[in-house]
Amino acid sequence: MNDLPREFLKTDFGHEVYDSWYLEHASQNFEARDFIEKHFAFYEKALRLTKSDIILDAGCGIGSYTRAFARHGYHVVGMDLSPNFLSEAKKITQRENLEIEFIFGDYNEMRFEERFSVIFFEGSFFYQSKEGLISLLKRIHKALTPNGKLYFVHSNHSMRKKRFPVDSLSKIKKNVFVLQRGAYDESSDVERCAWLKIDLETHKHYKCDFSVMHLPPDALKNCLMKAGFKDFHFYKKRGLGDFCPENDDGFSVVAKK
C-alpha cells in the first residue's frame, strides 16, 4: 500500500461512503447496548436525572444512547448532522417500539433557547479551536433551562498525544481497504487525521481529512467559565471518582448552568 492512488474523492461525516463504513465496521465498541447499560447508572447519578428532565442527545449517531434514555423512561431528543445515521436511528427505534424525536442538524449551529434541562454528548464532543469550543459552549448554555446540565467525555491531552503517530490498515472486503492515519501537533494540541478508502476493483477512492483539538483540563475549565458555566466537575471517564490527570486517559465533565 505504499503506492497509494493519487486521486481521492472527498468525503466527510454525513457522506454515504464514510457513514456506511462506520455503520458496518466501526459502530460496535462504545455503542454496544451492554456497554451503555454498564455506565447508565453513572449518567443518572452524575447528572442527577429526574423523569421531568428533557434531554438532548447531541451528535446522537444511530441513537444508541438516545434509546437507552427512552428505555429508562426519560424524555429525550436525538440530534445529528448525518441523515444516514438518523435514518438508521429511526429504523432501530421503530423496531424497539420507542417514540423518540430525532432532529437533523449540526450541534455547532444549535439555536435553541432554554429548551433542554440536560445536553448530553457521549463520544461526539469535538471541536477544532478554542474559539470554536467557546462558541459551542455558549450555544449550549443558551439552550439549557435554568440550572440545566451539560455532559461530555473529553480526552486527557497529555495521554492522548502519546498514541500518535497512528497508521492502521484494514481490509473491509476483497480489494477494498481503509487506511487511517493520525498525527499530533503539539504546538496547537490538535490531532490531525486522515481516513482513506482504497478500492482496487473500481479504482474509486475516497479521503476524509479532519482535525480535533484536545485542550488541557485547566484550559477547558477556562473555556467553560467564559461560556457562562460556573459550576462543573471533572469525573473519571464514566465513573464517579475524581479525574486524575497523571493516570486517566480521559474524563467525564458535568457542567451546570
Side-chain angles (χ1 to χ4, degrees):
M1 300 302 297
N2 290 329
D3 298 324
L4 291 177
R6 293 187 179 182
E7 293 186 12
F8 287 85
L9 299 169
K10 183 175 175 55
T11 185
D12 205 344
F13 305 112
H15 188 285
E16 185 178 356
V17 170
Y18 183 91
D19 289 357
S20 62
W21 165 79
Y22 179 86
L23 289 171
E24 186 174 354
H25 301 283
S27 64
Q28 295 78 28
N29 50 52
F30 72 93
E31 290 201 56
R33 184 164 176 171
D34 58 348
F35 181 90
I36 296 169
E37 291 299 331
K38 176 183 175 182
H39 298 101
F40 200 85
F42 163 68
Y43 303 136
E44 291 184 303
K45 291 176 182 177
L47 288 163
R48 299 181 181 180
L49 296 178
T50 71
K51 293 302 191 287
S52 63
D53 278 316
I54 301 175
I55 303 167
L56 175 66
D57 182 7
C60 69
I62 61 174
S64 302
Y65 290 83
T66 325
R67 288 189 297 279
F69 282 116
R71 286 194 298 267
H72 283 265
Y74 294 103
H75 181 175
V76 60
V77 175
M79 178 182 186
D80 204 273
L81 58 71
S82 167
N84 305 303
F85 288 171
L86 288 179
S87 176
E88 187 68 14
K90 291 173 183 177
K91 289 177 186 176
I92 302 172
T93 300
Q94 280 188 329
R95 288 203 298 266
E96 293 191 18
N97 292 316
L98 297 170
E99 291 187 11
I100 300 173
E101 178 187 1
F102 287 100
I103 300 172
F104 172 72
D106 182 350
Y107 58 66
N108 285 290
E109 301 297 328
M110 69 168 70
R111 300 184 184 277
F112 306 114
E113 291 193 29
E114 296 192 355
R115 177 172 174 184
F116 302 100
S117 56
V118 174
I119 295 181
F120 177 91
F121 294 81
E122 182 56 77
S124 58
F125 190 81
F126 303 115
Y127 56 96
Q128 298 180 341
S129 68
K130 189 182 293 186
E131 295 75 21
L133 171 60
I134 294 171
S135 174
L136 169 59
L137 290 171
K138 285 181 176 178
R139 290 176 185 272
I140 291 169
H141 191 274
K142 188 175 182 180
L144 286 169
T145 56
N147 299 313
K149 294 175 283 284
L150 161 67
Y151 171 87
F152 61 91
V153 175
H154 196 281
S155 295
N156 183 356
H157 93 297
S158 62
M159 296 287 190
R160 181 76 176 182
K161 63 186 180 182
K162 291 179 182 178
R163 69 183 290 266
F164 291 92
V166 173
D167 199 340
S168 64
L169 180 70
S170 59
K171 182 179 180 180
I172 60 176
K173 59 183 179 181
K174 184 178 179 182
N175 291 323
V176 182
F177 304 85
V178 165
L179 177 64
Q180 297 179 85
R181 288 178 165 171
Y184 202 94
D185 183 349
E186 294 201 38
S187 65
S188 60
D189 287 321
V190 170
E191 172 187 329
R192 305 190 188 281
C193 302
W195 176 93
L196 302 95
K197 180 181 177 184
I198 303 134
D199 190 328
L200 301 180
E201 288 287 342
T202 66
H203 300 286
K204 202 171 183 180
H205 317 295
Y206 292 87
K207 184 179 182 183
C208 172
D209 294 297
F210 56 96
S211 299
V212 182
M213 177 174 262
H214 303 279
L215 287 176
D218 286 344
L220 183 59
K221 289 177 183 177
N222 187 49
C223 291
L224 283 162
M225 288 188 290
K226 284 186 176 181
F229 292 96
K230 304 298 182 186
D231 183 2
F232 45 82
H233 191 91
F234 286 19
Y235 294 94
K236 284 185 178 294
K237 187 161 63 175
R238 307 182 188 97
L240 289 172
D242 290 334
F243 165 61
C244 178
E246 291 76 26
N247 298 319
D248 297 334
D249 66 348
F251 49 94
S252 290
V253 179
V254 174
K256 187 176 178 181
K257 182 173 179 176

